[in-house]
Amino acid sequence: MRSAFAGFHSIRPRASALHLTASALALAMALPAVAVAQTAPQAEDGATEVEEIVVTGLRRGLADSIATKRRETSIVEAVSAEDIGKLPDVSIAESIARLPGLAAQRVNGRAQVISIRGLAPDFTTTLLNGRQQASSGDNRAVEFDQYPSELLSGVVIYKTPDAEVSGMGLSGTADLRTVRPLEFGTRALAVNMRGEMTEGDKLNDDVRNYGGRFSISYIDQFADGALGLALGYAHLDSPSQNKHYKAYGYEAFGGVCEPSLPDSTCTVDSVQPDSADSALLVNGQEVFATSRLNQRDAVIGILEWRPTAQLHSTLDVYYSKFEQEETTRGAQWYSNAWADDAYFTDVVTEDRGGSLFGRSGTINNAVPIIRNDYNTREDEIFSIGLNTEYEINDRTRLVADLSYSNNRRRETILETYAGYGQGTGGVTPSTPNVGRTLDSIGFTVNDDGYPTYSEGLDYSDASQVTLGDRAPWGGWGHDGSIRFPDVEETISSADLKIERDMDGFFNTFTAGVNYANREKSKRVEDYDLFLKNGRQQVYVDAQYLETPTSLGWAGFGDVIAIDLSRALDVYYDRAPILDANYFDKNWDIEEQVTTAFVKLDFEGGRWRGNVGMQAVVQNQESTGVVINGTEPGSPIEPISVTKGADYLDILPSLNLIYDLGGGHRLRFAASRTMARPRMDEMRANVTPSFNSLVCTGQSCPPGATVNPWSASGGNPELEPWRANAFDLAYEWYVDSTTYLSIAGFYKDLETYIYTQNGTFDFSGIPLPSTASSIPAGVTISSIGQISLPANGDGGTVQGLEVSGALNFGTVWEPLDGLGVLGSISFTESDLNPAPDGQEVRIPGLSGTVYNMTAYYERGGFQARISKRFREAFKGEVVQLFATRGYTEILDDEQIDAQIGYTFEQGPLEGLGVLFQVNNLTNSPYRTRLGLDSGGTTTADGGSLPETYEEYGRQFLFGVNYRF
């Protein structure tokens, strides 16, 4: 049987499809995974047609990807549908993370955002069929797990610019591709079903740990091949869960309380024995069990029309809705000798990096806070594009493209507090011990894994546990919180270009203009939760209780489980939080970017390539607030402000290929590239503060001038990141499934954006009443310091990438079907975004990244195992109060495996079965305390562990059938 994909190789740099189909992920699974030879019958003129060799399965996808890499003038990496389909990932992120020079960041156990060549996702542009995609995050980075692999035919990663593609990223550009039904050329219908389950028992009894996936794809041609249609639908119902531990910090508590000292009023030594006084001990921790249900429905529709040889139009429509429900239950507590007379006993220490470290012991007078959290998230993506090509004559073509992309994310982030016992009233600074029942908790800290705890009280006993604030030092001032982040982004774009074929060395001239309008807004509604009846601590009625959640994997036992979807409004009142942080999280940004370009393609002798230039005119504008007033307890009076800037960038580019013969070639590329600034850093918000203690510790005589004002905020006048980039590569293409590539790159960033200090005029902002503490006669200046992101000195990023694939059948024919492919990348940078000389790394950079896949395909049998590894890096994560921040994510690896069989003949021909295990080794997610040179360290400068999570293995079994 000849594959429907055979001979489907065409690819264009914009608004076109990769060489496989929109539903190819499902279709390819139904095809034989072997090479099929066919000899055509003798032609009428007596000549015998050439024997046709059709390769399918993984090797087909690999061959197509290599063909794309070889054919493209720019330096690219490509994933074909079979590459994705053979390992049917939750999203394309898992698949493209295996490409050379690319690395994924896991979020909640799933690959979500991608770094290219050691630069953060902020430096990457994502396209769908050549059109920019809106993001649901705070910035520009697209979250790839929102795009189902079943509906994409492939992905091309541009590592060097093509002047014809607007919106190229500084580090690279990811172009997601869907099918072109007329090029596909035949009718096809495919159905794909998967069942999946996470290993082990459910972490939260009311959230299932099984789900499934379903997709159906249809391609057809009508009107004698003038009209093509492709439709696809993919449903995802995928559970996930993780066991979470986090240490808040480490501290030595010896001497906090020593009864033996003269005039001491304390009664218990803070650390026992005395030999452990200098030991570093965890000063706070949390142990949470989280269960998630991830559901996504996505549809695509492609209508292609070619009524004449001169006119060709394609309409692309994509829609997806992603919903997530997240249930978290667990405990957190301070093991801190400064907190309400807590003290340590039976401490066992060890040497760690020249420092004493508390390996085990007991914290006494601890008060665990029992958490019940419930979060939801909904993302909706809608993209539509119309591309029309008209051939004016046999040399000249006119191409117009219109597109629209909208992405909206709505979230609910809810957390509640409970504790053992019941008190009257709420915890306040004047009543700090209301309902606080003291406990003794034994602990053992492990080298790499979860600590082990043993508590003394039963925190699952609904007759003893009540809702309410139990935090030390007078409490947190509320009994819970609920936040509603809402982010929406829209991109509208129009593109017009003309192409002209020419004779001679320069064979094609292309020129055009693109206009893109981007609008993004962020709103976060924040509320404190207070228990009804004056914050009286209250027991939870049995009707709102679920089976207690076990934290036994950390030795803690069970904790009470509450159905917050029903209990929230029964027990809590809401009060809006209108503090400075609230106003700083709300902003609007609009950008208009016009890109004019020219490009010349050339070919002669052993040379080919292109040279081009873009002129990019950028207009940016942000609307935010300056907070007018710092009076404690008084309402904040925000003043709306709108600011912006205009910029022009000229971006030349060159891609050059020299064919050495015998499959060997050299590539060289040089370009000037840019990336637009982070959108949250472009917000026009200013948050002031006033230091009424400015004269404390210094002389402030009459007539002196002091500067107590300071502020932080965003910068709507930020300029783009700009860089000059150079690439040099050697490639050797042995055959369709075997190649070797060695590539080096160098990027010289002229500027980098980091937080800097400047001056700001605070005139018009009234002085707070606390200003009275400044002595009379002292002049209070209206000029103060402001910290905000600004363009500063740049630096370099350089690296080496080695990649290749080997079909062992190339070496020895009996081994045909057995092969390996992989890559390793080394990247370094001298960029330092800290203006004070402190050593600070840039986000997203891993020094070493490698990926490796081994496969075997023969006689319908298919097997593969893949591993990807990423060295420790600085990653952006969600932190307190739904804000974004950075942490150091330690070495991360993941191993996936699958086996399958496809029936090649007989009544079951076209039927395929597959079994897959993701995260085969249950690789943990880990972070360290502090970032860069921050945080508590050991005497020799070693870091201490912060976060440890395990997600468990994911098992999938599926069947697919092609009609």
Side-chain angles (χ1 to χ4, degrees), residues 80 288 379 438 458 462 525 594 599 630 635 668 692 710 731 774 790 816 852 856:
S80 75
F288 295 153
D379 293 87
L438 306 180
D458 182 1
E525 300 292 335
T594 302
K599 186 180 79 168
T630 60
F668 174 77
S692 58
S710 63
E731 298 170 347
I774 297 176
D816 189 52
M852 183 169 60
Y856 179 74

Side-chain angles (χ1 to χ4, degrees), residues 27 29 223 482 725 828:
L27 291 174
M29 294 297 299
I482 188 168
E828 62 179 17

Side-chain angles (χ1 to χ4, degrees), residues 241-484:
Q241 53 189 27
N242 69 283
K243 303 169 183 176
H244 165 89
Y245 162 78
K246 181 178 181 179
Y248 300 152
Y250 299 82
E251 194 171 346
F253 296 108
V256 171
C257 181
E258 291 192 17
S260 60
L261 293 178
D263 302 322
S264 174
T265 59
C266 60
T267 58
V268 181
D269 197 343
S270 57
V271 178
Q272 306 169 31
D274 290 340
S275 60
D277 279 356
S278 63
L280 293 173
L281 296 162
V282 178
N283 61 22
Q285 55 265 292
E286 63 189 31
V287 181
F288 295 153
T290 298
S291 303
R292 298 180 186 86
L293 290 179
N294 307 286
Q295 294 184 319
R296 182 187 60 213
D297 290 281
V299 294
I300 61 165
I302 300 103
L303 185 64
E304 191 174 10
W305 184 48
R306 188 189 290 273
T308 68
Q310 290 76 37
L311 182 62
H312 182 200
S313 290
T314 306
L315 177 68
D316 298 288
V317 180
Y318 173 77
Y319 172 82
S320 74
K321 185 175 183 180
F322 181 86
E323 296 178 303
Q324 183 182 86
E325 295 184 17
E326 180 180 272
T327 299
T328 296
R329 298 178 178 119
Q332 59 184 155
W333 65 96
Y334 292 95
S335 48
N336 189 311
W338 297 102
D340 300 314
D341 299 322
Y343 64 97
F344 294 87
T345 58
D346 302 321
V347 176
V348 176
T349 64
E350 67 179 22
D351 181 273
R352 180 172 291 189
S355 296
L356 273 185
F357 184 81
R359 166 67 75 176
S360 63
T362 300
I363 174 68
N364 303 277
N365 293 347
V367 182
I369 301 165
I370 306 305
R371 289 278 295 272
N372 275 259
D373 299 357
Y374 179 69
N375 303 329
T376 65
R377 174 172 171 174
E378 179 183 288
D379 293 87
E380 281 191 275
I381 303 175
F382 175 72
S383 294
I384 186 170
L386 175 64
N387 181 273
T388 299
E389 178 180 328
Y390 180 70
E391 189 173 298
I392 299 174
N393 53 50
D394 60 355
R395 285 179 173 263
T396 309
R397 296 166 298 280
L398 189 65
V399 182
D401 192 275
L402 301 174
S403 66
Y404 172 86
S405 177
N406 177 266
N407 197 327
R408 184 170 186 184
R409 181 188 72 198
R410 303 177 183 89
E411 291 183 272
T412 300
I413 302 174
L414 167 64
E415 61 180 52
T416 64
Y417 319 131
Y420 197 94
Q422 184 183 37
T424 302
V427 174
T428 67
S430 59
T431 58
N433 294 312
V434 171
R436 286 173 53 83
T437 303
L438 306 180
D439 195 1
S440 293
I441 303 174
F443 66 88
T444 300
V445 179
N446 297 313
D447 289 330
D448 189 14
Y450 298 106
T452 302
Y453 298 102
S454 57
E455 76 283 12
L457 300 175
D458 182 1
Y459 294 96
S460 66
D461 186 350
S463 67
Q464 297 295 328
V465 176
T466 62
L467 299 175
D469 183 7
R470 298 301 204 282
W473 303 296
W476 286 328
H478 56 271
D479 303 305
S481 66
I482 188 168
R483 309 177 193 279
F484 299 95

